[in-house]
Each structure stands twice: as C-alpha cells, then as structure tokens.
Amino acid sequence: MSTDDKNRATAAAILPLVGGAGNISSVAHCMTRLRLGLRDRSLVQDEALKALPVVMGVVEDDTYQIVLGPGTVARVTPEIEALVAAAPQPAHSAEDLAAQGAALRAARKAKNATPFKLFLRRIANIFVPLIPALIGCGIIAGLNGLLINLGWLPGVTPALAAMASGFMALIAVFVGYNTAKEFGGTAILGGAVAAIIVFPGVAKIDAFGQRLSPGQGGVLGALGAAILAVYVEKWCRRWVPEALDVLVTPTLTVLISGLVTIFGLMFVAGEISTAIGEFADWLLAHAGAGAGFVLGGLFLPLVMLGLHQALIPIHTTLIEQQGYTVLLPILAMAGAGQVGAAMAVYLKLPRNGSIRRTIRSALPAGFLGVGEPLIYGVSLPLGRPFVTACVGGAFGGGFVGLFSMLGDTVGSTAIGPSGWALFPLLDGNKGLGETIAIYAGGLIVGYLAGFVATYFWGFSRELLEEFDVDTETEQAEATVAEGGPAPEREPEPAKV
C-alpha cells in the first residue's frame, strides 16, 4: 500500500469513529495531534478509536484531539478534510442551526471559563503555525555552523546563512499576521503594522531619548502592535461610514497603531525582551541546578494540559536575542523522565500484555520527544508513574541546569523537536561536542531517575495487584465463551 493510500485508509478508519463527516465542524492539527471540532461528543467511540494502531492517544479539550504523532498527523489531516468536504451535507432549518450554534457556544464557554486559559490558547495558536519554519531554519543554521567550523564549502555557507536567517529576520511580520487573524482583525493589517518593527528606517527615529533599532521589541512588540491594530480596526468599523470604510479604516489602523508602536511599544517590548533574556541567563548562572530541577519536573503537567505551547513566545524571544533558547533543552528532560518511567512500568507489569504492547509501540516516539502517547496511554492512567516520571524530568533538568551554573550553556536554535530529535538543533557557548555531551548526559540522567523512581516508588501494592494481571487470558476466556477465536497472547517473559 502506498503512503497516500495508507493515510487515506487511516482517515477513513477514524471518521466513522468520531460520528462521521456530519459530526465534524472543524479540522486542524498541531505538531502531533489531529484537532476536531465536534457537534455531538456522545457520538465518538473512544475505545474503538484508541484501538486503532495509528492512534497513540486522545485528549479532550475545547477540541477533540487525536494523537497521531509528528509527520503522520500532517498527512492524515488533509485526507480527513477531503472526506468531510466530499460528504453530503444534510439540510438544516434556521431553528436547527440556531439551536446547534447555541449548544456549541454553551459547551465551549463551559470548557473555557477561565479568561487566562483562553488567552494562552490564543497565544499558542499564533505561534504553532510558525514551528515548521523554525525547525527547518534551525537545522539549516546548525548545518551551516558545522560547515563553517570544519572549513568546508565556503562558497555555500553564505547561502545557507541567508536561508537560516531570512525567516527569523522577518518573524515579527508573520507573528503580526497570525495575531490579527486570531483576534478577529484583518490579517494583512496586523502584518503591515508588525513590519514597522523590522523596517531598517526606524534606526533614524528617537523614542524616550534613545535611537530605535530595527527589530527592537521582536515578537513581543509585533504581538502587541497587531492586537492594538485589531482594536483600532474594530473601532473604525463601528464608526466610519460604509462609503468611506475601504479607504479610512485601513489608513487609520496602520497610522494609529504604527505611531503607538514606534513611539511606545517598540521601546517597552524591547525592555521586556531584554529582561527575559537577562533573567534566563541570571537564573541559570546562579540557580541553574535548582531552576532546572523545577522546570524539568513541572513541564509534564503543562504538556498534559496542552498549555506548554504558551511558552513559545519566550523561546522565540530568546532565539531572537541569543541565537538559541536555553530553556528548551531543560524542558526536554521531562520527556526523558517519561521514557524511563515507561520502561520501569514495562518491567513491573510482566503479565499485562496490553500495557506492555502500548509501551513498546509508544517508546520510539517517546525517545524522539513525543510524550503524549506515553502520558495518556501509560503513566497518567496509572497515577503514581506520572509523578515519578516528573521526578525523572526534574533530575535531568537539574543536570543540564548544573552545567549552566558551571558556565556551559546548552541551547536549541529552534523549537518543536525534543528528545533525540533535538540533537541537530543544539548550540551553546562552548564547542558542539561538549554541548551534545551535556544534553546526552541529561537525557541519560532523566531516563535513569525516571526508571528508578517508578520501579521502586511508582506502584503501591494495591496498584500492582490490580494491573499486573494476565489480561490476555481474561480476554481469551471471554472470547471463547462467546464462541469466537482466542486472541494472540503476549509471550511470557523469560524467568531468571
């Protein structure tokens, strides 16, 4: 079966289990998850969906999220969209649509009752579409740096530098565009206002007694400028006569927002961005081990809640300022603790073939930094192993943070990847070999700490008695009793 046919088959298998095309109101995806807006949640067959080999787990939030893993989700999503578009749409009366809309609004309002949580989701929605470009440019930057250090291909390295730096030089424009789109304004106006920040001509302007510099304020300035532009535009739409709207509204939006950006936001956002970079450097230089321990230990709960994407603006600001983010390698240790915990669960439950199969299928993704399958399929349902996985991440983060205190900074030139997939993006203030060695050491510490904590403290006697059972035998007996064939069993572990 070709790759296209496989993706089409996957989409065809998922669609009926979420209530069919008629039950889907929206389709989107992030790095690992297919995000579906559903009209009727009760139509979803959760267990059947989780049983599909390609599905690593499900997460229920403001959208129904199916974890498919990186790469796969980007290929399956268009197939889902095609099936939904091709399905016949039932006719609805105005009353039906109004009732349906009211139900959807009520459900969404109940799930997003916290304004802060809704704001974080909006911020994440602005930056998530930028991740593929950040990854691609980051890897090219790493390759270019390696070639320069080796003295190879001197005629090619300037071209690679242009490819790696071009997107980062204009990232403020893309942030402004996405921000205006997310907050309900005209996207191109948000991009136009944000473009002021990176325009070279701002170097001739004085604000607060200081000469501005192109890029001052970075993505935070672009974010604030675009949000301001949205509010100015909405105000104009309400008060400008329709006959003049096409001329007056965009002009006033760019003019007012632009002046505030130049003579206010660029300076303020620049100070905030500088403070973020200085604080991160100070924290890791003076309390690196403790800070790494706390950050590595708390990151898994953020992933579980889907709020880890709200950290993207901070990562992006650090990359703009320093060329790499010092936080991501520390946070990546949370995935190492998860992997170590999963391996301990595998050994502690030798008779539970179902859980062991889940671990075997999810571990490769876990090593590459995709933690959702292990979180939602193994550690979180068991309870204690989720906590001990956090302990593993804490120790791994503390290890990397300790070296920051000793003057060996480890950073990532892009965001998105984690685990082993982060190796091509590593950078720091010392040689590449030393940077890789510190990061690899942190992963090993995270694996070992997560394993030890889970193996010795991850199971109570009651939990072990409940889950260390021969699920294959129970299923076989139930199947045979119903007259069906017995399922294949997990091989018995070797006895030492």
Side-chain angles (χ1 to χ4, degrees):
M1 180 182 294
S2 68
T3 302
D4 290 343
D5 290 340
K6 181 180 178 182
N7 295 329
R8 199 169 296 115
T10 299
I14 291 175
L15 195 59
L17 300 180
V18 294
N23 194 38
I24 295 177
S25 59
S26 65
V27 181
H29 75 89
C30 61
M31 288 291 292
T32 60
R33 305 177 187 180
L34 171 65
R35 299 170 180 259
L36 301 177
L38 301 177
R39 295 186 171 91
D40 187 349
R41 172 64 181 82
S42 65
L43 297 179
V44 178
Q45 302 176 45
D46 294 287
E47 296 306 319
L49 195 59
K50 294 176 184 177
L52 294 178
V54 73
V55 174
M56 300 176 179
V58 298
V59 182
E60 188 169 358
D61 208 331
D62 55 334
T63 56
Y64 190 78
Q65 303 171 15
I66 304 171
V67 183
L68 300 177
T72 301
V73 68
R75 292 168 172 80
V76 172
T77 300
E79 300 295 343
I80 291 283
E81 292 174 334
L83 290 175
V84 171
Q89 299 298 319
H92 295 284
S93 66
E95 292 77 11
D96 291 336
L97 292 178
Q100 188 180 85
L104 287 172
R105 284 193 296 271
R108 186 162 297 178
K109 183 178 179 180
K111 290 181 180 179
N112 296 287
T114 305
F116 180 67
K117 186 175 181 180
L118 177 59
F119 179 75
L120 288 182
R121 293 190 190 285
R122 282 189 160 184
I123 298 300
N125 290 339
I126 292 166
F127 287 90
V128 167
L130 306 180
I131 289 179
L134 288 169
I135 293 173
C137 295
I139 291 178
I140 292 174
L143 174 62
N144 189 53
L146 180 62
L147 292 176
I148 291 175
N149 291 335
L150 295 174
W152 294 354
L153 302 176
V156 176
T157 51
L160 292 178
M163 298 176 198
S165 304
F167 174 74
M168 289 306 301
L170 297 174
I171 190 172
V173 180
F174 296 101
V175 170
Y177 183 95
N178 286 349
T179 300
K181 182 178 179 181
E182 177 65 26
F183 281 83
T186 301
I188 197 64
L189 291 179
V193 173
I196 297 170
I197 293 174
V198 296
F199 178 60
V202 298
K204 302 177 182 178
I205 302 173
D206 291 327
F208 296 94
Q210 297 180 13
R211 184 61 57 92
L212 295 177
S213 59
Q216 185 173 340
V219 295
L220 297 183
L223 187 67
I227 291 176
L228 174 62
V230 170
Y231 282 99
V232 172
E233 181 188 0
K234 289 182 177 179
W235 181 87
C236 290
R237 300 289 185 199
R238 286 198 303 269
W239 296 103
V240 173
E242 290 186 10
L244 300 175
D245 181 72
V246 69
L247 297 176
V248 174
T249 296
T251 303
L252 288 179
T253 298
V254 175
L255 179 62
I256 296 173
S257 303
L259 289 173
V260 175
T261 298
I262 292 172
F263 293 105
L265 284 176
M266 286 186 66
F267 176 81
V268 173
E271 293 298 306
I272 295 174
S273 299
T274 301
I276 290 174
E278 291 177 349
F279 178 73
D281 290 339
W282 178 89
L283 183 65
L284 294 180
H286 293 83
F293 190 91
V294 172
L295 292 172
L298 294 180
F299 190 59
L300 273 182
L302 289 179
V303 174
M304 179 192 70
L305 296 172
L307 298 178
H308 57 296
Q309 293 171 341
L311 295 171
I312 295 176
I314 297 176
H315 291 310
T316 309
T317 298
L318 292 174
I319 292 172
E320 275 190 314
Q321 289 183 339
Q322 304 173 355
Y324 51 79
T325 168
V326 294
L327 297 180
L328 186 58
I330 291 176
L331 299 176
M333 296 301 117
Q338 183 68 54
V339 168
M343 291 190 288
V345 171
Y346 189 88
L347 293 182
K348 291 289 285 186
L349 303 179
R351 292 188 292 175
N352 194 316
S354 176
I355 290 180
R356 286 165 68 93
R357 270 199 309 274
T358 299
I359 293 173
R360 283 202 305 271
S361 64
L363 266 180
F367 279 114
L368 292 175
V370 182
E372 287 96 334
L374 290 175
I375 292 175
Y376 296 107
V378 180
S379 65
L380 192 59
L382 292 174
R384 272 200 194 184
F386 179 78
V387 177
T388 53
C390 293
V391 172
F395 276 95
F399 179 89
V400 177
L402 175 62
F403 278 90
S404 292
M405 290 180 64
L406 299 176
D408 296 317
T409 301
V410 178
S412 170
T413 58
I415 55 178
S418 184
W420 293 1
L422 198 61
F423 278 111
L425 298 170
L426 291 178
D427 196 1
N429 62 346
K430 296 294 178 67
L432 182 60
E434 189 172 342
T435 300
I436 290 176
I438 295 172
Y439 180 72
L443 289 178
I444 293 173
V445 170
Y447 295 152
L448 292 176
F451 179 90
V452 171
T454 304
Y455 192 87
F456 291 102
W457 297 286
F459 286 87
S460 64
R461 179 174 298 178
E462 294 79 9
L463 189 66
L464 201 59
E465 290 176 353
E466 179 182 355
F467 284 93
D468 189 22
V469 294
D470 192 346
T471 56
E472 308 296 337
T473 298
E474 293 180 358
Q475 292 176 2
E477 290 175 352
T479 303
V480 171
E482 295 174 359
E488 295 183 6
R489 296 187 55 186
E490 169 86 5
E492 289 289 337
K495 296 181 180 181
V496 180

